[in-house]
């Protein structure tokens, strides 16, 4: 599946992170409507979803792997959120800054290139390279080191059950540092490497919070697809985004304060005769989300590919 993406900072041509778009299709230049604020965050910019600035950038088409690479660079959904933006070429993903904009210097022109080309020391900073754990070179070194230390040990798992009822067991084995391998009870299910973010781990895999988000998103996706199709669902007809909002409790302990789930449907699913019924019914049949939302507030939204809200529940 191809995704249209609007970039406005270090992913622009001739900027330091443009290499991530080397295989992407350049669609054209674009300037947004004057309803944003572009701010300097040191060696890279951040786009805020309110203001009166028209922001200059470029549009590219990327595949699923390309979009995931951009998500990693932008630390989505922790540091940046990804939302749909109306453009003359159709809806495009854009990364919006989620952090505090307090004391951040705005860029009134809405043009990051005007800033980066005028500031040699800024470009020399190589865009977060010294302090950003998402730096591609550092990721590659971490992967190489982990691969070199992996053993050929295998873990036997029980035969898979044909039903969710009863009990199941998964097995976890520490590899290096905080990197832990998970072996599932289904023989055909691939192992999964989990890790922690710095300073404990090296983010070589998802941590427990991200696995919980993945479980919620997967369960809701499967439930909606089954309700709409009953048999084999159409390929590449659904995208799901799950955002965990992290908070601290009264003891300053980090917790998942709420979860926001967005299910984005292709037109062929929306136009089906079952859609109106399924959009309000599918959540009741999701084991994971129905269990999790007893302890964590959750907002579930169903949207079309243009970003129009079709249904929402909380």
């Amino acid at each position: 599946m191809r995704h249209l993406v609007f970039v406005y900072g270090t992913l622009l041509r001739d900027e330091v992170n443009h290499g991530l778009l080397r295989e992407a299709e350049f669609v054209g230049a674009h300037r947004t409507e004057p309803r944003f604020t572009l701010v300097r965050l040191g060696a890279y910019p951040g786009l805020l979803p309110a203001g009166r600035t028209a922001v200059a950038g470029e549009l590219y088409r990327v595949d699923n792997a390309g979009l995931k690479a951009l998500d990693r660079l932008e630390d989505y959904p922790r540091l940046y959120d990804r939302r749909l933006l109306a453009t003359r070429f159709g809806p495009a993903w854009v990364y919006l800054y989620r952090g505090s904009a307090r004391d951040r210097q705005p860029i009134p022109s809405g043009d990051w290139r005007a800033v980066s080309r005028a500031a040699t020391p800024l470009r020399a900073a190589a865009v977060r390279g010294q302090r950003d754990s998402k730096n591609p070179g550092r990721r590659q070194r971490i992967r190489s080191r982990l691969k070199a230390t992996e053993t050929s040990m295998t873990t036997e798992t029980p035969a898979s059950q044909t039903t969710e009822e009863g009990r199941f067991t998964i097995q976890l084995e520490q590899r290096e540092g905080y990197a832990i391998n998970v072996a599932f009870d289904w023989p055909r299910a691939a192992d999964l490497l989990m890790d922690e973010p710095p300073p404990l781990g090296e983010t070589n895999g998802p941590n427990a919070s991200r696995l919980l988000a993945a479980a919620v998103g997967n369960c809701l996706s499967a439930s909606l697809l089954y309700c709409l199709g009953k048999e084999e669902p159409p390929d590449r007809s659904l995208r799901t985004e799950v955002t965990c909002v992290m908070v601290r409790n009264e003891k300053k302990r980090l917790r998942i304060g709420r979860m926001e789930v967005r299910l984005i449907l292709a037109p062929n699913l929306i136009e089906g005769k079952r859609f109106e019924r399924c959009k309000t019914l599918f959540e009741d049949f999701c084991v994971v989300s129905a269990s999790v939302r007893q302890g964590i507030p959750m907002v579930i939204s169903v949207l079309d590919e243009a970003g129009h809200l079709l249904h929402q529940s909380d």
Side-chain angles (χ1 to χ4, degrees):
M1 185 172 184
R2 306 289 288 179
H3 308 272
L4 190 62
V5 181
F6 174 71
V7 301
Y8 54 86
T10 64
L11 289 162
L12 293 165
R13 283 180 294 182
D14 300 323
E15 294 294 322
V16 292
N17 281 324
H18 183 69
L20 286 178
L21 296 173
R22 186 167 43 248
E23 304 298 326
E25 172 195 352
F26 174 68
V27 177
H30 179 72
R31 185 175 281 271
T32 71
E33 294 292 323
R35 55 184 182 89
F36 296 96
T37 300
L38 191 65
V39 296
R40 289 179 57 170
L41 303 173
Y44 58 101
L47 186 63
L48 306 179
R52 299 181 179 180
T53 301
V55 177
E58 296 168 347
L59 290 160
Y60 292 87
R61 291 195 190 278
V62 301
D63 58 16
N64 289 338
L67 188 63
K68 289 181 180 179
L70 297 182
D71 285 348
R72 289 193 295 270
L73 175 74
E74 304 294 358
D75 198 4
Y76 164 78
R78 188 183 68 86
L79 186 60
Y80 283 82
D81 196 5
R82 174 159 53 79
R83 295 295 176 91
L84 286 169
L85 170 74
T87 77
R88 59 195 177 99
F89 297 97
W93 291 115
V94 62
Y95 291 90
L96 301 177
Y97 183 58
R98 296 183 61 121
S100 172
R102 184 179 179 182
D103 299 325
R104 299 295 189 179
Q105 181 181 352
I107 304 174
S109 68
D111 188 351
W112 169 250
R113 280 198 179 104
V115 175
S116 65
R117 290 174 179 173
T120 302
L122 185 65
R123 290 178 60 78
V127 187
R128 298 176 282 177
Q130 296 182 355
R131 63 182 179 88
D132 189 353
S133 63
K134 304 183 299 301
N135 179 272
R138 186 171 185 269
R139 287 202 306 269
Q140 184 58 47
R141 291 194 298 272
I142 292 170
R143 290 193 191 102
S144 298
R145 186 177 65 180
L146 184 62
K147 185 176 181 180
T149 58
E150 285 182 340
T151 69
S152 59
M153 294 177 61
T154 59
T155 304
E156 295 182 0
T157 57
S160 63
Q161 295 176 316
T162 58
T163 175
E164 283 290 290
E165 296 179 5
R167 67 177 67 188
F168 65 88
T169 302
I170 63 174
Q171 300 185 17
L172 295 86
E173 178 186 3
Q174 188 246 1
R175 293 293 181 86
E176 177 187 27
Y178 286 85
I180 295 175
N181 186 75
V182 183
F184 296 95
D185 58 318
W186 292 345
R188 296 180 63 181
D191 287 8
L192 176 66
L193 184 70
M194 296 179 62
D195 203 350
E196 294 293 330
L200 294 180
E202 299 284 1
T203 58
N204 284 305
N207 64 358
S209 297
R210 285 159 178 80
L211 279 180
L212 180 62
V216 167
N218 176 266
C219 187
L220 285 168
S221 298
S223 181
L224 180 54
L225 287 172
Y226 178 76
C227 185
L228 291 171
K230 285 295 182 182
E231 296 179 356
E232 189 72 19
D235 292 340
R236 303 183 184 278
S237 56
L238 172 66
R239 301 195 310 273
T240 302
E241 300 176 350
V242 183
T243 300
C244 289
V245 180
M246 309 302 291
V247 300
R248 292 190 182 274
N249 63 12
E250 65 280 358
K251 295 182 178 180
K252 306 302 181 183
R253 305 291 192 264
L254 202 60
R255 298 290 185 264
I256 299 176
R258 73 175 187 274
M259 302 181 76
E260 301 169 358
V261 185
R262 294 180 290 275
L263 297 106
I264 304 162
L265 276 65
N268 59 336
L269 292 182
I270 298 171
E271 294 164 1
K273 61 182 180 180
R274 299 178 59 86
F275 174 70
E276 288 301 320
R277 181 170 181 265
C278 287
K279 72 179 183 181
T280 60
L281 181 65
F282 76 100
E283 298 171 36
D284 289 340
F285 294 91
C286 176
V287 175
V288 178
S289 66
S291 302
V292 169
R293 73 192 314 173
Q294 294 186 39
I296 301 176
M298 188 181 301
V299 177
I300 301 172
S301 305
V302 179
L303 306 94
D304 63 18
E305 290 185 333
H308 299 129
L309 183 64
L310 306 175
H311 173 72
Q312 187 173 79
S313 64
D314 54 29

